[in-house]
Amino acid sequence: MQGYRAALLRFLPDDTMERIDDALVVVDQGRIADAGAFDAVAARFPQVGWHDWRGRVLAPGFIDVHVHFPQLDVIGSPAEGLLPWLENYTFPHEARFADPAYASAMAELFLDELLRNGVTTAMVYCSSHAASAEAFFEAAQKRSLRMVAGKCLMDRNSPEPVRDDTRRGLAQSQFLIERWHGRDRLGYAITPRFAPSCSDEQMRGAAELADAFAGTWVQTHVAENRDEIAWVAQLFPDARSYLDVYDRLGLLRERSMFAHCIHLDAADRARLSASGASAAVCPTSNLFLGSGLFDFKAAAQAGFQWGLASDVGGGTSFSPFRTMLAAYEVARLGGVTLSPQALWYRHTLGAARAMGLDGLVGNLSAGYEADFIALDARVTPLLARRAGGAWSLDEWLFAMIVLGDDRAIVDSVVAGTPMPRLAPPSRTG
Ligand code: GUN
Ligand code: ZN
């Protein structure tokens, strides 16, 4: 058993946050045994020693519900929209992940970046190569991380080096499920990349796999970009909408994560909600690629679950602070004001719920897995000044969201163990 003494941020049963100025978190075998006011917890665990982290603020590790591990080096590639971006930068780059050694090196760098930014759980796209998923799971397992990932299924409309074969792609997915799903803290997401790159047969096979293997996830993209949507309408003339393509093939279900969900209509949103599927909201990506603005008001009215996501490399930052700020700004453009607590919730506990991981990760309370971060507002002069002068929890959170970056994440603790402080990555390959 081991303790951490610092301030503490966590969610109450009504999903608002509380701050405890002097708290103790006790960790036992990777889980939180107790967390609360220092005096009370220390009295319950008098024999437990603690790291003196006073001056810092402990908070649940962030959860990124949609990110592409082979796109670390694609960040900041300008294009006139999604389809040329995929064709000119993303597919050529992902071709490199057929090489297991390259994929392994990049998986390490990717996880370094997540942890540097305080992200302890993510829902991850690998490339279409089984080797990239192997590399990712091995790297995540080594660090005891809770991660959900899968190899892309893409059997058409993509260049040969990243295209898979209908049956082989499904067989590889099944092999990866049997090998990795439920092993340690890892889970498998069946990953039909998006409807234009998948045949009906492949998507139907993906749904069959999800039926056959309990607890697996499904992840894909939907209604991101107007050209993409027009293309889907041509490819699937019988479908009522882009989302309906997936629905007819059996892919709308609990534990299905649909990225973007920008250009949906009311019937789509109602269906998303009724199916128990979730949306991954990716504001930095949507702004960078000019895809559109997620409709936060309509999402709230429909009531489907959603979490925040970086969507690196369409997204421009691994930092949850950047994503929360972009979500705030996009919501404002739609006439909605998201509170800092609501933003934080969508990147932690709300994201865990959208993934079906509630009770395991996303909060800092007894029984949860011990994935948390230590925040320090003193790392830059302006953040120190703005956060130091905050007169409420909301003000402090907002200062972090607007002025914070990876420097403010001074430690990431995974399954109770602080991860080594990370040197800046060097380019590999
Ligand atoms: N649609 C299909 N593939 C991708 C991808 O890699 N990124 C984004 N943003 N959208 C996609
Ligand atoms: Zn994506």
Side-chain angles (χ1 to χ4, degrees):
M1 279 203 207
Q2 188 142 52
Y4 295 86
R5 183 176 187 176
L8 170 66
L9 284 179
R10 64 172 168 193
F11 292 93
L12 297 167
D14 67 357
D15 299 339
T16 62
M17 290 177 99
E18 70 168 345
R19 179 185 161 116
I20 301 172
D21 287 330
D22 184 15
L24 182 63
V25 174
V26 175
V27 168
D28 185 24
Q29 298 186 355
R31 285 191 182 257
I32 295 170
D34 202 348
F38 178 82
D39 291 342
V41 176
R44 289 195 285 273
F45 290 88
Q47 79 286 11
V48 171
W50 36 269
H51 296 277
D52 190 351
W53 282 6
R54 278 175 286 184
R56 300 169 167 196
V57 180
L58 305 181
F62 289 112
I63 298 174
D64 186 337
V65 300
H66 179 94
V67 58
H68 298 257
F69 125 66
Q71 295 180 14
L72 184 95
D73 285 335
V74 179
I75 295 181
S77 301
E80 294 193 350
L82 172 69
L83 300 177
W85 176 82
L86 286 171
E87 191 176 322
N88 296 328
Y89 295 105
T90 308
F91 292 156
H93 190 70
E94 290 193 10
R96 302 186 69 180
F97 287 74
D99 172 3
Y102 182 76
S104 289
M106 292 306 289
E108 300 294 342
L109 290 185
F110 175 80
L111 293 177
D112 285 352
E113 278 312 300
L114 288 187
L115 291 169
R116 181 199 316 289
N117 284 285
V119 176
T120 49
T121 287
M123 196 148 171
V124 179
Y125 285 57
C126 305
S127 72
S128 57
H129 314 96
S132 78
E134 284 288 341
F136 178 79
F137 282 122
E138 266 173 32
Q141 184 185 39
K142 235 176 21 197
R143 301 187 200 211
S144 301
L145 285 161
R146 181 164 287 288
M147 288 282 160
V148 174
K151 80 151 222 105
C152 280
L153 293 163
M154 42 195 301
D155 65 352
R156 63 169 180 169
N157 292 327
S158 23
E160 191 277 326
V162 292
R163 191 167 64 237
D164 66 3
D165 165 81
T166 311
R167 289 281 120 202
R168 208 165 85 93
L170 291 167
Q172 287 176 334
S173 300
Q174 178 167 343
F175 179 83
L176 289 163
I177 291 169
E178 287 168 344
R179 186 164 154 76
W180 291 106
H181 182 66
R183 187 161 161 191
D184 295 339
R185 304 180 73 201
L186 305 172
Y188 196 84
I190 299 153
T191 309
R193 184 174 195 131
F194 69 150
S197 76
C198 299
S199 65
D200 281 39
E201 187 187 350
Q202 197 174 43
M203 287 193 277
R204 211 171 286 114
E208 282 164 14
L209 274 182
D211 283 338
F213 291 92
T216 50
W217 284 261
V218 170
Q219 58 180 351
T220 189
H221 297 86
V222 71
E224 176 177 5
N225 166 285
R226 298 230 180 253
D227 296 333
E228 170 208 26
I229 292 166
W231 192 17
V232 169
Q234 271 175 15
L235 291 169
F236 301 91
D238 297 337
R240 196 199 65 80
S241 67
Y242 190 166
L243 190 73
D244 188 49
V245 171
Y246 298 129
D247 200 5
R248 287 163 177 234
L249 292 163
L251 291 166
L252 234 69
R253 55 204 297 145
E254 283 181 16
R255 293 205 167 199
S256 285
M257 183 68 73
F258 290 91
H260 307 299
C261 296
I262 297 171
H263 309 285
L264 300 181
D265 62 16
D268 289 331
R269 291 190 180 93
R271 190 59 202 118
L272 201 54
S273 194
S275 70
S278 299
V281 177
C282 313
T284 74
S285 169
N286 300 158
L287 293 169
F288 183 72
L289 292 173
S291 303
L293 306 176
F294 182 78
D295 190 335
F296 291 91
K297 194 181 283 176
Q301 279 162 359
F304 57 80
Q305 307 191 86
W306 59 273
L308 285 172
S310 67
D311 191 29
V312 159
T316 47
S317 174
F318 280 100
S319 175
F321 299 130
R322 291 292 73 74
T323 303
M324 290 189 282
L325 177 58
Y328 175 83
E329 291 167 341
V330 168
R332 281 301 311 132
L333 288 171
V336 173
T337 302
L338 295 174
S339 71
Q341 294 188 25
L343 290 161
W344 214 284
Y345 170 81
R346 294 294 177 178
H347 233 324
T348 51
L349 183 57
R353 287 190 177 139
M355 285 180 69
L357 293 176
D358 190 13
L360 289 177
V361 292
N363 208 355
L364 235 174
S365 299
Y368 278 79
E369 295 174 345
D371 291 351
F372 53 89
I373 56 177
L375 296 160
D376 195 330
R378 299 166 299 186
V379 289
T380 66
L382 189 57
L383 178 58
R385 182 179 167 77
R386 190 71 182 85
W391 46 265
S392 70
L393 174 56
D394 276 6
E395 275 236 330
W396 189 90
L397 294 171
F398 227 140
M400 270 290 164
I401 289 170
V402 176
L403 297 172
D405 57 33
D406 55 328
R407 289 169 292 184
I409 313 287
V410 289
D411 263 297
S412 294
V413 177
V414 173
T417 304
M419 294 288 100
R421 294 305 298 146
L422 304 163
S426 58
R427 221 191 124 84
T428 305

